[in-house]
Amino acid sequence: MAYNKFNVNEELSELFNKLWDLDENRCEPGEHYRLNKGGYLKDARDLTKDVSEDPLFDWVDEAKVFEKPTYKYFIALLDNYTMETGEQEVVTKEEFKENVMFIDAICDTPLMKEAHSFLRDKGKAPGAINDFKKLLYKLWFKLYRRTKGDRDFDSSGFEHVFVGEIKGEDVVGFHNWICFYLQEKSGNIDYHGYFRRGTSLEREPRFITLQFSCKNGRGKPIGGSFIGTSPEFEMALYTVCYLMDIGSKVHIELDEYKVEVTVYGHAGGIGTAYPTSKD
């Protein structure tokens, strides 16, 4: 698809703007966090250039943000995975409980209730809330084989999209600002800068396409992420795009932004999902 061809899906734009307005847990720049956007990059194939001296996140008000239930349960999931692809993932009883608690928490928000209602009315999701939760678990947490030729169940939609995985020398997935902040704060990743194409225009963008390296020598040449959105908003948006089954790239107008949402399936679940600004 040509970069400048933007065909808006009006129905989903209307829904996602409603979800945007219902996102009572969304964070705002200056109030909940501060960004250092730094310099911009031109070549996604070159991981040797670092045009941003400072971390992407100057600060995040953890006390105000991370004590919210959906954030708290989301963060509890981030250490449940082995990032190396090709290595068997094991879900313990405690980790299963954490997955369920997270789904329960996001399904209790007005935002996810609206998404569920939309999908139910479209015949894309079961009406009973417990059955809908089971569907969310299957789409996001059911383990599958990602590595070709490997028999191990080494991945899941949640791991790939929100936590990230290591494949060879590259980080794959890893499309979440909360996980990025926590890894950056721990000194595990070094922000190199952003790409103008794919990043919204503000000084502190809501959508960013960026590059980073890891202290273990790996890195992500290019990847897109929301900034400041709640876990439930991202889960709802990607789930709706996947279940509506209208193509891997969905163009929406969200608030003041033009956004391309990319969602690919894998083994009956979410394979990858991320946003790209088209402003």
Side-chain angles (χ1 to χ4, degrees):
M1 180 179 293
Y3 176 77
N4 58 1
K5 189 176 182 181
F6 192 83
N7 298 314
V8 177
N9 186 305
E10 299 290 351
E11 182 178 41
L12 291 189
S13 291
E14 181 179 355
L15 171 67
F16 294 148
N17 274 284
K18 188 178 293 186
L19 301 187
W20 182 266
D21 292 339
L22 287 171
D23 192 5
E24 56 193 18
N25 289 329
R26 186 173 68 244
C27 296
E28 300 297 336
E31 179 181 356
H32 300 110
Y33 66 89
R34 177 70 69 200
L35 294 183
N36 298 306
K37 189 166 67 170
Y40 68 90
L41 297 159
K42 297 181 180 179
D43 188 356
R45 297 166 297 181
D46 186 0
L47 266 169
T48 65
K49 291 185 178 179
D50 186 342
V51 295
S52 298
E53 294 182 0
D54 297 318
L56 174 61
F57 285 92
D58 186 20
W59 54 265
V60 172
D61 189 339
E62 295 186 23
K64 186 179 292 186
V65 176
F66 292 168
E67 288 304 308
K68 296 178 180 181
T70 57
Y71 285 83
K72 183 185 297 185
Y73 292 128
F74 175 84
I75 291 170
L77 306 181
L78 300 182
D79 63 356
N80 290 350
Y81 298 95
T82 300
M83 289 187 69
E84 293 282 353
T85 56
E87 294 190 13
Q88 175 73 41
E89 293 286 357
V90 177
V91 181
T92 67
K93 289 183 179 180
E94 183 62 29
E95 289 169 352
F96 174 79
K97 181 180 178 181
E98 289 175 348
N99 293 342
V100 170
M101 291 173 67
F102 172 65
I103 289 177
D104 285 344
I106 65 173
C107 284
D108 199 36
T109 63
L111 183 162
M112 188 59 86
K113 289 178 181 178
E114 182 66 31
H116 178 211
S117 178
F118 175 86
L119 290 168
R120 179 199 62 209
D121 293 347
K122 289 291 182 180
K124 299 294 185 178
I129 185 61
N130 285 338
D131 290 335
F132 180 59
K133 290 178 180 180
K134 290 177 182 177
L135 176 60
L136 289 176
Y137 197 101
K138 173 179 177 289
L139 294 180
W140 288 100
F141 293 104
K142 184 179 179 181
L143 298 179
Y144 52 61
R145 298 183 182 95
R146 184 177 295 274
T147 304
K148 189 176 181 180
D150 196 303
R151 297 183 62 82
D152 289 330
F153 289 84
D154 62 342
S155 185
S156 69
F158 185 89
E159 177 184 9
H160 183 86
V161 174
F162 295 107
V163 182
E165 301 176 280
I166 295 173
K167 187 176 182 180
E169 294 302 312
D170 290 335
V171 175
V172 294
F174 201 106
H175 299 292
N176 180 255
W177 72 273
I178 302 167
C179 189
F180 188 99
Y181 163 72
L182 292 172
Q183 291 290 342
E184 188 177 60
K185 178 186 175 184
S186 297
N188 295 326
I189 59 177
D190 178 22
Y191 172 64
H192 285 191
Y194 69 96
F195 294 91
R196 283 179 169 175
R197 178 172 289 188
T199 299
S200 53
L201 303 177
E202 317 97 306
R203 188 179 71 84
E204 297 188 84
R206 279 291 188 187
F207 306 87
I208 191 166
T209 298
L210 50 68
Q211 181 185 99
F212 64 87
S213 59
C214 304
K215 69 178 182 181
N216 61 13
R218 275 82 170 243
K220 187 166 183 67
I222 186 170
S225 175
F226 288 100
I227 299 289
T229 43
S230 69
E232 58 266 33
F233 178 83
E234 296 184 32
M235 289 281 288
L237 182 140
Y238 296 143
T239 299
V240 169
C241 286
Y242 176 78
L243 290 176
M244 288 301 290
D245 194 23
I246 54 176
S248 58
K249 295 185 182 296
V250 180
H251 289 168
I252 60 171
E253 290 181 336
L254 182 64
D255 196 41
E256 62 191 82
Y257 309 100
K258 292 182 178 180
V259 185
E260 180 178 85
V261 182
T262 299
V263 180
Y264 286 100
H266 184 84
I270 305 293
T272 193
Y274 56 89
T276 307
S277 171
K278 290 294 184 178
D279 290 318

